[in-house]
Amino acid sequence: MYSIDAKHERRLLWLLALTQFTIIMDFMVMMPLGPQIMHAFGIAPAGFATAVSAYSWCSGLSGLFAATYIDRFDRRRLLLTMYALFAMSNLACALASSFALLLAARAFAGITGGVLASVIMAIVADVIPVQRRGAATGTIMTAFSLAAIAGVPAGVMLGAHFSWAAPFFLLVGLSFAVWVAGWQLVPSLAGHLSRRQPPLAEILPDLLRLLGNPRHMAAFALTFVMMVAHMLVIPFISPVLVANHGVSPEQLSWLYMAGGAATFFTSRRVGRLADRFGARRVFRITALLACLPVLFVTHLPDLPFYALLLFFPVFMVLMSGRMVPMQALLTTVPQPDRRGAFLSANSALQALGTGCGAWIGGLMLGSSSAGQIVGYGTVGWASVAVALSGVLWVSRVRGARSDGAAPAPAVVHGEVVGES
């Protein structure tokens, strides 16, 4: 465990949150831009789902490959290198002149984003003690809120007034500013390099052992299932609102801003609740509550815009709220010397689940003769069914011994902490 003062720790956490913000904005902004991208390239919902999935699948594969080398590098050096490549990927997206080039650029963005997500969580796990990791994870997860409050609305407005490519140019500028701050704030994190690393000939067998560990497999399954449930619904909210309910692209920015403002304040609170009452218990409660807004948004009646504006914060708070305790729980699963590799592999499964959810959701949707999107209600029921399976499965996810913990597991609020 590294030792840094409280002020530096806060600055580092918010820098990582801003880094995560640009990664999430890069992914999220595609979804409200869906109607414009579908129109610009003449593609159907299934084609748009492929564009979303291209990022996720490549992110997953790159994250899985990163599990073989992430623990061999100084975290700082790896973070800065991959983030520079991430900025280049956004420039490629902005300059794409055909759907094929856009797919290639999104794949490049996914390759860099998958590794970055792993490095960020590895830094958090290396620097923050386990008893405060839930709150720290909540701080990182506020990146989702920041992206929804500022990034996505700004991207939607730029896209509505200029072109769909404008938000990606914005991301290039933001990424450059964050990279400079990272160069100054992120310390060298190379203590894990003092531990013996397996030779290259053992990398693949070592990865297979990592993936085949029963405790790890239970965690990976939970990640994959919950991301499928999440992404069955999320990518198609904006296209459905525009095509079926007459919401304009400019109005979408207000919905994301309202939802993001709410989650900005709740993410850290949910993290603290996970620290206090147990991540597993808080996950179950938030995941069950999230089923209600999922069914509502996928069976949405014709409502005035102000009603949507009131509903969207509830939807986003519960959807993001179930992810905070899940991420906090997952950081307790690996042994400290395998944490980076585990989080890389978990990030890969998260991205693969994201891609599969978006792709399956797109296949379940169609277009009517009037130009409306049909089949969204069925997608909602499928999402709820998958999420409920995750609620049942979470009892199988068990942690390794905590950093500095006694060999015997402790019981906190009825949960076993540090159980192998």
Side-chain angles (χ1 to χ4, degrees):
M1 180 66 64
Y2 296 90
S3 178
I4 60 177
D5 61 66
K7 184 177 180 181
H8 192 178
E9 179 182 302
R10 287 194 300 272
R11 288 181 175 178
L12 178 61
L13 281 176
W14 282 109
L15 174 72
L16 294 175
L18 287 174
T19 305
Q20 188 83 322
F21 160 78
T22 55
I23 299 169
I24 294 173
M25 179 181 170
D26 178 48
F27 176 70
M28 283 182 61
V29 80
M30 280 285 291
M31 291 176 271
L33 290 175
Q36 293 165 270
I37 292 175
M38 290 166 65
H39 176 75
F41 294 104
I43 56 176
F48 174 65
T50 302
V52 174
S53 299
Y55 177 100
S56 301
W57 285 329
C58 289
S59 175
L61 293 175
S62 71
L64 189 61
F65 177 70
T68 65
Y69 64 80
I70 189 173
D71 289 320
R72 296 175 177 272
F73 294 95
D74 183 327
R75 310 278 196 221
R76 178 182 189 273
R77 180 177 299 178
L78 189 58
L79 177 73
L80 294 176
T81 300
M82 297 308 299
Y83 198 56
L85 294 175
F86 170 77
M88 293 175 59
S89 75
N90 279 287
L91 183 60
C93 290
L95 298 176
S97 57
S98 68
F99 186 60
L101 290 176
L102 178 65
L103 285 178
R106 296 309 296 160
F108 182 31
I111 290 171
T112 58
V115 179
L116 283 170
S118 304
V119 177
I120 288 171
M121 291 310 299
I123 291 175
V124 170
D126 282 346
V127 173
I128 308 300
V130 67
Q131 60 268 26
R132 290 192 285 109
R133 206 167 289 157
T137 303
T139 299
I140 300 299
M141 294 288 283
T142 57
F144 176 88
S145 309
L146 292 172
I149 295 171
V152 174
V156 171
M157 289 181 182
L158 286 173
H161 289 92
F162 297 98
S163 74
W164 65 266
F168 295 103
F169 283 117
L170 174 63
L171 274 167
V172 173
L174 290 175
S175 299
F176 176 76
V178 174
W179 189 92
V180 172
W183 178 267
Q184 297 175 340
L185 282 177
V186 180
S188 176
L189 299 171
H192 58 282
L193 297 179
S194 62
R195 306 185 186 99
R196 178 188 175 276
Q197 298 294 327
L200 293 179
E202 295 181 12
I203 285 180
L204 184 56
D206 189 54
L207 177 59
L208 293 176
R209 285 192 295 271
L210 177 78
L211 297 176
N213 183 305
R215 194 175 66 251
H216 295 178
M217 290 177 67
F220 295 151
L222 178 65
T223 294
F224 184 84
V225 162
M226 293 310 299
M227 292 315 301
V228 168
H230 207 68
M231 294 303 293
L232 278 168
V233 171
I234 294 292
F236 310 104
I237 291 177
S238 295
V240 168
L241 289 177
V242 171
N244 296 11
H245 301 280
V247 177
S248 68
E250 292 86 353
Q251 288 176 315
L252 291 175
S253 63
W254 292 104
L255 294 178
Y256 280 91
M257 192 178 299
T263 58
F264 179 79
F265 296 102
T266 58
S267 291
R268 283 174 291 172
R269 292 182 182 274
V270 172
R272 293 190 184 102
L273 289 174
D275 289 337
R276 181 178 180 183
F277 297 107
R280 188 177 291 106
R281 179 181 298 174
V282 174
F283 167 77
R284 287 193 184 108
I285 294 171
T286 53
L288 288 172
L289 290 176
C291 293
L292 298 177
V294 165
L295 290 177
F296 185 77
V297 78
T298 54
H299 296 80
L300 196 65
D302 288 328
L303 296 173
F305 182 71
Y306 75 83
L308 293 175
L309 200 60
L310 293 174
F311 162 74
F312 218 66
V314 177
F315 173 78
M316 292 184 67
V317 163
L318 290 175
M319 293 295 279
S320 65
R322 64 187 182 182
M323 295 301 173
V324 173
M326 186 184 80
Q327 292 289 348
L329 176 63
L330 294 179
T331 63
T332 69
V333 171
Q335 296 289 346
D337 61 336
R338 303 301 294 143
R339 190 175 288 142
F342 170 84
L343 291 173
S344 291
N346 187 72
S347 178
L349 268 296
Q350 181 175 341
L352 291 173
T354 295
C356 289
W359 182 64
I360 293 170
L363 293 179
M364 296 173 69
L365 298 176
S367 299
S368 68
S369 57
Q372 292 189 330
I373 296 175
V374 297
Y376 202 37
T378 303
V379 170
W381 284 110
S383 174
V384 167
V386 174
L388 290 177
S389 70
V391 172
L392 296 175
W393 184 263
V394 72
S395 62
R396 297 174 177 265
V397 179
R398 299 292 176 182
R401 267 207 307 267
S402 303
D403 297 350
V411 178
V412 180
H413 300 289
E415 278 197 85
V416 178
V417 178
E419 182 181 358
S420 298

